[in-house]
Amino acid sequence: MHKTRLSPNGPAISALALGAASLGSVYSDVSQDNADATVHTALELGVNFIDVAPYYGLTKAETALGHALSGIARDRYVLATKIGRYGDKDWDFSRDATLRSLDASLARLGCGHIDVLQCHDIEMGDYRQLVEEAIPTLHDLKRQGVIGFVGITGYDLPLLERVAVEHNVDTVMAYCTYTLQDQRLAPVARRLQAHGISVFNASPLGMGLLTRRGPPDWHPGHASVHAAAAEAARLCEAAGTDISRLALQFALQGAIQNGMATTVIGSSSPANMRDNIAALSQPIDQALLAQVEAILAPVRDKGWDVLPGNGGKAGK
Ligand SMILES: NC(=O)c1ccc[n+]([C@@H]2O[C@H](COP(=O)([O-])OP(=O)(O)OC[C@H]3O[C@@H](n4cnc5c(N)ncnc54)[C@H](OP(=O)(O)O)[C@@H]3O)[C@@H](O)[C@H]2O)c1
């Protein structure tokens, strides 16, 4: 698989990464057997970067991932997790909570070292605590060699860009903002890369939006976006393919062209993960892509309002 570099002096990481939120049963119930098989399939087929967080399934995803990774040599994967978000509306970017969270993540994941530790959904928590406590604590942990890189994640691109540059972070994870439907991350990623900051493109399927099954009921996108995506999915199905394949190919190609370090897809299915990896070496169907882009054009780059304290859910 195509590899890029995590930070200018960091390890090589796969251009497609596994997002382990799904393993916390955030989309559907996932057994430990399925979680194990998904992780093992991804690693065997060349994925070496995995992202998770304490928030996903309220620690279930980290526990399931730790089980799946037990017995696997630590140098076979690069691991990212997060601090700061502990519930739908529960943020704590204090120094004490950050240190406690890291210890708990290490125990659940069964390893002694986190490669990338990220402040989770920075637009939703307390800004002063973020910049005066959480980020400085992560820089301390990096200096001590406890973590490899300091990261931030979220949805609000202007805020992510400003905090990343002003507070000298190594990585930025943005989600649902480089997909078939929304490409606002592209210019931001190019600017961040010029600062030596690695960008992770999370949720290339728009958190299930660009799948045959469609988005989960908690999806914050606007009804017009859901309707256009459903129409595009039906068109792909009629053409004998699944929109998720086209969506992943599009996101991955664009991510590489715009200098993003990796694209983080979530899956709790070994079969889907196998399809996702296979899609990377198949040519994109340009005629179908043009038809899908035409359907999505009226809702292109239409995101949702971020309401602080509203758990990342949509506004009006
Ligand atoms: N704020 C943040 O830091 C943040 C926010 C969002 C995401 N992320 C990261 O990005 C990762 C990916 O995001 P995500 O999981 O929310 O969204 P996503 O990758 O856009 O979509 C995941 C959904 O797509 C489905 N899927 C995957 N491959 C498929 C295929 N080949 N065919 C049909 N359906 C397929 C999955 O179902 P199956 O399980 O059935 O395959 C799952 O329901 C997360 O796990 C997390 O690591 C971070």
Side-chain angles (χ1 to χ4, degrees):
M1 182 176 308
H2 179 75
K3 289 264 180 16
T4 65
R5 206 151 277 287
L6 166 50
S7 199
N9 303 316
I13 56 168
S14 48
L16 185 68
L18 175 63
S22 298
L23 307 188
S25 298
V26 301
Y27 290 98
S28 56
D29 262 355
V30 178
S31 68
Q32 186 62 51
D33 283 352
N34 241 32
D36 291 348
T38 305
V39 174
H40 298 162
T41 300
L43 290 172
E44 276 156 26
L45 296 178
V47 169
N48 79 335
F49 186 45
I50 305 176
D51 175 68
V52 69
Y55 168 59
Y56 300 148
L58 304 178
T59 71
K60 183 181 173 191
E62 281 192 338
T63 303
L65 180 61
H67 185 279
L69 292 173
S70 63
I72 294 177
R74 184 64 184 84
D75 62 2
R76 281 200 55 201
Y77 57 89
V78 175
L79 190 55
T81 190
K82 311 189 183 84
I83 57 93
R85 185 170 192 181
Y86 305 107
D88 281 349
K89 298 187 180 185
D90 182 8
W91 278 264
D92 188 343
F93 285 128
S94 67
R95 181 176 176 85
D96 284 353
T98 299
L99 295 172
R100 274 198 311 274
S101 180
L102 171 60
D103 283 346
S105 290
L106 288 170
R108 283 189 289 269
L109 290 162
C111 62
H113 179 80
I114 298 295
D115 297 290
V116 187
L117 192 58
Q118 308 159 102
C119 301
H120 199 167
D121 288 343
I122 63 166
E123 65 271 17
M124 308 303 295
D126 182 286
Y127 182 79
R128 187 204 58 76
Q129 244 187 4
L130 171 77
V131 299
E132 291 181 10
E133 298 195 44
I135 294 177
T137 302
L138 298 195
H139 281 299
D140 287 347
L141 291 166
K142 181 182 169 184
R143 273 190 295 275
Q144 294 159 13
V146 180
I147 65 169
F149 300 94
V150 175
I152 54 175
T153 82
Y155 183 74
D156 182 334
L157 294 175
L159 181 71
L160 284 168
E161 183 172 8
R162 182 166 60 77
V163 171
V165 173
E166 286 179 5
H167 296 275
N168 206 21
V169 308
D170 302 303
T171 70
V172 169
M173 175 177 286
Y175 66 100
C176 294
T177 44
Y178 195 83
T179 71
L180 269 176
Q181 181 263 321
D182 188 335
Q183 288 130 47
R184 290 173 293 158
L185 177 58
V188 178
R190 291 194 297 272
R191 289 195 295 274
L192 287 171
Q193 199 210 17
H195 286 278
I197 297 167
S198 294
V199 175
F200 307 146
N201 177 34
S203 308
L205 307 186
M207 298 197 301
L209 175 75
L210 299 162
T211 63
R212 194 180 296 190
R213 186 169 59 189
D217 57 6
W218 50 259
H219 194 280
H222 286 256
S224 58
V225 174
H226 288 179
E231 190 186 336
R234 283 192 295 274
L235 176 88
C236 291
E237 198 164 357
T241 186
D242 189 320
I243 192 170
S244 57
R245 175 178 307 164
L246 189 73
L248 178 60
Q249 289 177 316
F250 175 89
L252 199 97
Q253 282 186 8
I256 291 170
Q257 281 160 9
N258 287 288
M260 300 177 211
T262 192
T263 293
V264 189
I265 192 163
S267 183
S268 55
S269 150
N272 282 353
M273 210 51 211
R274 218 171 281 121
D275 283 354
N276 294 339
I277 294 163
L280 306 182
S281 48
Q282 293 158 358
I284 202 158
D285 181 336
Q286 295 293 347
L288 185 63
L289 175 61
Q291 286 176 284
V292 166
E293 285 185 315
I295 291 172
L296 295 176
V299 293
R300 164 99 185 255
D301 293 350
K302 184 168 184 170
W304 55 87
D305 310 319
V306 176
L307 300 182
N310 199 31
K313 301 292 186 282
K316 288 198 298 293

